[in-house]
Amino acid sequence: MDALNPAVAMHPYYLALRSVPLALHPELEHSVQQARDGRWVVLSLVGGDAHYRCRERVFHWLQQLDGQLTLDDMLGLLAPGPEQDQGLRVLHALYQAGFLDVSPPAQGDGAHWRRRLGSFLMLRLGVQAPEMLVVLLQWLAPRVLRGGAGWCWGLWVLWGLYYAGGQQAALLEHWDSRFLDPSSLLLLYLAYPLLKLVHELAHALALVRWGGRPGQIGVMLMVFVPLPFVDASAAHHFSRRRQRILVGSAGVMAELGLAVAGLLLWSQSNEGVWRDLGFNIAFIGAVSSVLFNGNPLMRFDGYYVLSDALKVHNLNSRSFRYLGSVLRRYIWAFDPVEPIAGNRREAWILGSYGVLAFIYRCFVYYWICYYLLTHFFVLGVILSALAFYLLFLTPVYKATVGICREARTNKKLPRTAFSTALLSGLLGWAVFGYQGNLSWALEAAVQIPPQAQVRAMEAGFVVVPLLAHGSQVEPGARLFELDSAELKMQYRLAQSELSELRRLYHQGLGQGRSESLKWQARLEAKAGELQSLRQRLGNLRVNAQTQGQFVHADLSNRTARFISQGDLVGYVLEPGARLNLIVAVRQLAADLVNLHNPEAEVRFEATPDRVFRARLVRQTAAATHELMDPAFGSDQGGGIPVDIRDDEPRAKERVFYFELELEAPWTENYLPRLAQVKLALPGVTLFEKWTIFWRDRLLTEFGWL
């Protein structure tokens, strides 16, 4: 029996297990599975949902836990150094999971607080699966999960993807206009547990299909949302990898199938409850599958499917342990521990998965917190604090304690202190020293001066087509000509009435002065009416008032097209004219713009790859709730939230308006209506960006900075 490593005797896990009698739980069961790096053993309690995987040689070592050997005896069976350290970690993991025949571990104050917090956020109420449900699943499973079911599911989902691609514009419009409506959110809250019920029953159905039996069933309250659950952990003991993969993916497959059904319900329903419900079902089934349940980078169904597909067990924990060993070796120069990866292929898989999973989880938590902070501020603050604690504070604290302990053990405190200080300095420079751009993407409306606008003064049909788009014109040049049969008829009728009045006037000259004056007044009025009609007929021909380039407002230049009175037909842009744009910003952004005069880049839909530079010309004196252009409102796809309860949509919060002018003259042969503007504020650190974001949220929610 080998001597105990002194470093192991100082480990907190050793102190926790030193006085515990070591024996495996009498109801512990195991199964053996084959992987690329050898045989693995899956441990679980009868009727429990927790499981633990270990290598076969580790399981043989654990079988010596008969209640007679002490912790020192068990560790003495292993080689001193990394092997004893790994053995201690295995025993502590079994102890925490309840796989040892001892009372539950005592909880310290910190662990007790974390357990209370976890119970508050996730309360689980379950019972053993009723025999009637098991019998029903056993009858249903072979009839549903039979040959050809997978092909039918695949064709159904592929058709849904094709159909969703064709409905992309309508889906985005529904998202902007209806998704955040209170009634739609209520439907989302009610539909989510029902979809999760189908998800869990699909797992149970696949489990029963290959001889397994569900454990507990019940309801789990996750952040006050009731979610049904079915314990399908018995699938971990299936010896065939294909069966484990199908059980793990059954829930995601069911949700994707329901998502296509929801898409079909949405497309075939009129505006109302059923259309909103169909959209919410499609959203839940698709988004939860892609971002969470079906994504292997999160520890849900997709993770276990990928682990079985790659034949690499304990993928999550081993990948982060592998990355930790790489950092220990190349940054802190600690002695290498027992190799975590069995070969180069497995090392590549563990390293890649660890990096991608960490980045993706931070990305998902960031966007969830950002969305909640911008829409449900209080809930967003709570979730952000919890995510910061779990994803940053806890790992940093554990890593710091482990590094300090190992540095004392290896007597490398100076090297460790230097490496830690260097790493902390780089992190501090990235947060407080590195300067980048802070940018806003805004909608802008192009402002054209009235004198440049060409409008139809009268209604009529086009008889002379519009001058060619992009033509250079001089003052007085004919741009187009209209024809109005009604106006011409009115003119001819006025002519005949004027002739009749003249005849009657000459007949009444000898009937007295008063009678002559009456007919003269009628004659002058009709002459004025005829002159007005003659002027209106002249307005049917539209001429250029200034020199410049004639640009069509509507490129459908066709003869016999009807144009209403006052319709905008085109523009005459003077040589060297610069376009002006109006953008709407909130108060904090307006303050930053006034202080720093940011750079402005403009893109137009017709040429999205071309960037135009612009400069700030002026801003409104005070904030207002009025929308200078409807395109700024969220109901029209803009970024300003609006209140649509009034006849005229108004901004929910006061906004400032800035006028921008393109630096270069406009020489394009088109005139845009809207533009995308990016205001970039240079020289802003990451810490300043966070500060600006929180100031903006506090100002928006409470009116103070």
Side-chain angles (χ1 to χ4, degrees):
M1 186 173 293
D2 294 316
L4 186 64
N5 186 359
V8 173
M10 299 171 55
H11 201 287
Y13 292 172
Y14 178 84
L15 301 177
L17 296 175
R18 182 173 54 184
S19 59
V20 174
L22 300 179
L24 293 177
H25 198 284
E27 296 185 0
L28 191 68
E29 58 181 2
H30 72 278
S31 60
V32 180
Q33 297 176 0
Q34 184 67 38
R36 290 185 181 274
D37 56 347
R39 292 162 65 87
W40 287 70
V41 178
V42 180
L43 304 176
S44 65
L45 289 177
V46 176
D49 58 350
H51 69 280
Y52 183 81
R53 282 191 175 97
C54 62
R55 298 184 186 274
E56 190 175 33
R57 58 186 177 84
V58 175
F59 177 69
H60 292 325
W61 173 68
L62 291 174
Q63 286 181 311
Q64 301 182 64
L65 294 174
D66 55 359
Q68 302 297 323
L69 296 180
T70 64
L71 177 61
D72 291 344
D73 295 334
M74 289 296 299
L75 296 178
L77 298 175
L78 305 175
E83 191 169 312
Q84 290 184 349
D85 182 73
Q86 294 297 326
L88 179 61
R89 294 178 183 275
V90 170
L91 291 174
H92 188 266
L94 296 178
Y95 176 59
Q96 292 288 332
F99 289 177
L100 299 182
D101 190 16
V102 294
S103 58
Q107 301 285 345
D109 293 338
H112 178 70
W113 180 84
R114 288 192 295 271
R115 182 171 58 84
R116 290 286 301 272
L117 178 62
S119 300
F120 171 74
L121 296 175
M122 185 182 298
L123 179 63
R124 189 169 181 174
L125 306 173
V127 297
Q128 289 297 321
E131 189 65 28
M132 183 180 299
L133 176 62
V134 176
V135 172
L136 177 61
L137 292 174
Q138 290 173 344
W139 175 84
L140 191 61
R143 291 165 174 79
V144 175
L145 303 179
R146 55 192 304 176
W151 288 103
C152 293
W153 174 86
L155 292 174
W156 175 248
V157 172
L158 287 176
W159 178 85
L161 289 174
Y162 171 77
Y163 188 75
Q167 299 289 325
Q168 181 179 0
L171 289 169
L172 291 175
E173 181 182 357
H174 188 101
W175 169 271
D176 292 331
S177 61
R178 290 293 305 159
F179 184 71
L180 292 180
D181 187 84
S183 61
S184 178
L185 292 178
L186 177 61
L187 286 175
L188 185 73
Y189 181 84
L190 297 176
Y192 190 75
L194 297 178
L195 262 71
K196 292 305 170 185
L197 175 62
V198 176
H199 176 105
E200 296 298 323
L201 289 178
H203 283 307
L205 198 65
L207 178 68
V208 172
R209 176 66 176 84
W210 287 288
R213 182 185 177 90
Q216 286 191 334
I217 64 171
V219 176
M220 177 172 57
L221 292 177
M222 182 179 293
V223 197
F224 308 114
V225 178
L227 299 177
F229 74 90
V230 175
D231 175 20
S233 60
H236 294 300
H237 292 282
F238 287 169
S239 59
R240 297 185 61 184
R241 181 166 58 116
R242 175 176 173 273
Q243 295 175 351
R244 298 196 302 270
I245 291 177
L246 289 176
V247 173
S249 58
V252 173
M253 295 173 66
E255 283 197 52
L256 288 175
L258 286 176
V260 179
L263 179 65
L264 193 61
L265 175 63
W266 167 82
S267 64
Q268 300 301 316
S269 302
N270 297 323
E271 292 292 341
V273 175
W274 289 108
R275 187 174 176 86
D276 290 344
L277 179 62
F279 184 88
N280 290 336
I281 291 175
F283 173 79
I284 296 171
V287 172
S288 66
S289 298
V290 173
L291 296 182
F292 299 103
N293 281 326
N295 195 316
L297 299 179
M298 303 290 287
R299 288 200 64 185
F300 297 116
D301 297 342
Y303 163 76
Y304 297 103
V305 171
L306 179 66
S307 180
D308 280 321
L310 296 177
K311 295 184 179 180
V312 179
H313 295 309
N314 297 341
L315 181 59
N316 183 75
S317 59
R318 293 175 64 201
S319 63
F320 287 110
R321 284 170 50 205
Y322 175 77
L323 292 178
S325 67
V326 172
L327 294 177
R328 291 172 65 260
R329 179 178 180 183
Y330 293 103
I331 294 183
W332 287 282
F334 292 152
D335 296 334
V337 297
E338 180 184 9
I340 298 173
N343 50 53
R344 181 174 297 180
R345 172 188 175 275
E346 195 169 272
W348 184 88
I349 291 175
L350 294 177
S352 302
Y353 181 85
V355 172
L356 293 175
F358 177 77
I359 294 175
Y360 181 77
R361 292 173 192 179
C362 291
F363 171 81
V364 169
Y365 279 114
Y366 169 80
W367 281 110
I368 290 177
C369 293
Y370 178 82
Y371 182 83
L372 292 177
L373 285 169
T374 53
H375 292 82
F376 310 98
F377 182 72
V378 176
L379 183 60
V381 170
I382 296 174
L383 186 61
S384 299
L386 184 62
F388 182 74
Y389 170 76
L390 295 176
L391 295 179
F392 182 77
L393 290 182
T394 300
V396 168
Y397 172 75
K398 291 182 177 180
T400 303
V401 172
I403 290 171
C404 293
R405 182 177 62 249
E406 195 158 359
R408 288 194 299 267
T409 303
N410 295 331
K411 298 180 180 180
K412 293 183 178 181
L413 282 175
R415 168 63 186 269
T416 302
F418 175 77
S419 300
T420 304
L422 180 61
L423 191 62
S424 301
L426 290 175
L427 181 62
W429 174 81
V431 175
F432 299 99
Y434 176 75
Q435 295 183 345
N437 288 338
L438 176 63
S439 60
W440 299 273
L442 304 169
E443 286 278 348
V446 177
Q447 299 295 302
I448 305 298
Q451 62 270 20
Q453 301 177 6
V454 178
R455 296 183 179 273
M457 302 298 293
E458 297 292 338
F461 292 91
V462 177
V463 291
V464 177
L466 274 66
L467 199 63
H469 178 74
S471 300
Q472 296 294 327
V473 297
E474 298 293 335
R478 184 176 64 178
L479 301 178
F480 63 94
E481 188 170 339
L482 303 176
D483 179 58
S484 174
E486 180 182 0
L487 189 59
K488 289 181 178 180
M489 183 180 65
Q490 292 178 7
Y491 180 76
R492 288 193 295 269
L493 180 61
Q495 278 184 322
S496 62
E497 290 177 350
L498 181 61
S499 299
E500 179 66 16
L501 285 174
R502 284 174 178 171
R503 186 182 65 80
L504 295 174
Y505 172 74
H506 289 296
Q507 289 180 355
L509 286 177
Q511 297 179 2
R513 180 176 178 80
S514 60
E515 191 69 20
S516 297
L517 291 175
K518 182 179 69 173
W519 285 107
Q520 185 177 359
R522 291 180 180 180
L523 187 62
E524 290 175 355
K526 184 58 65 176
E529 180 183 347
L530 186 64
Q531 179 62 28
S532 176
L533 290 171
R534 187 179 295 112
Q535 184 178 358
R536 291 179 62 187
L537 285 173
N539 289 338
L540 292 175
R541 172 172 173 164
V542 180
N543 299 325
Q545 303 299 316
T546 59
Q547 178 187 6
Q549 183 185 31
F550 180 55
V551 178
H552 292 188
D554 182 2
L555 296 180
S556 58
N557 180 19
R558 62 184 185 272
T559 306
R561 182 177 60 140
F562 182 79
I563 297 179
S564 300
Q565 183 179 12
D567 279 357
L568 180 64
V569 179
Y571 309 90
V572 176
L573 300 180
E574 298 180 358
R578 291 178 170 85
L579 291 186
N580 285 29
L581 305 98
I582 297 294
V583 296
V585 297
R586 292 196 292 264
Q587 180 175 339
L588 181 59
D591 295 341
L592 294 172
V593 169
N594 288 327
L595 289 175
H596 301 282
N597 192 21
E599 302 173 354
E601 296 181 353
V602 182
R603 297 176 186 268
F604 299 103
E605 185 178 0
T607 55
D609 297 333
R610 186 174 178 185
V611 178
F612 297 86
R613 300 289 179 180
R615 60 185 179 87
L616 179 64
V617 178
R618 65 182 63 87
Q619 81 165 89
T620 55
T624 177
H625 289 279
E626 301 294 332
L627 292 177
M628 294 184 65
D629 194 290
F632 293 143
S634 57
D635 59 332
Q636 299 290 332
I640 303 299
V642 297
D643 187 352
I644 60 175
R645 291 175 296 181
D646 298 331
D647 295 335
E648 291 291 333
R650 293 169 53 88
K652 291 184 177 180
E653 54 183 293
R654 292 181 299 175
V655 294
F656 290 85
Y657 290 99
F658 287 90
E659 184 177 350
L660 304 175
E661 183 182 70
L662 296 187
E663 295 181 353
W666 185 256
T667 58
E668 305 297 320
N669 61 353
Y670 68 93
L671 195 62
R673 170 70 180 85
L674 299 173
Q676 288 288 334
V677 175
K678 184 176 78 170
L679 297 179
L681 191 66
V684 181
T685 65
L686 185 60
F687 178 76
E688 289 174 334
K689 291 182 181 180
W690 291 340
T691 304
I692 291 172
F693 172 79
W694 282 102
R695 288 177 59 195
D696 180 66
R697 287 292 89 211
L698 292 173
L699 180 63
T700 302
E701 298 293 333
F702 305 111
W704 50 271
L705 298 176

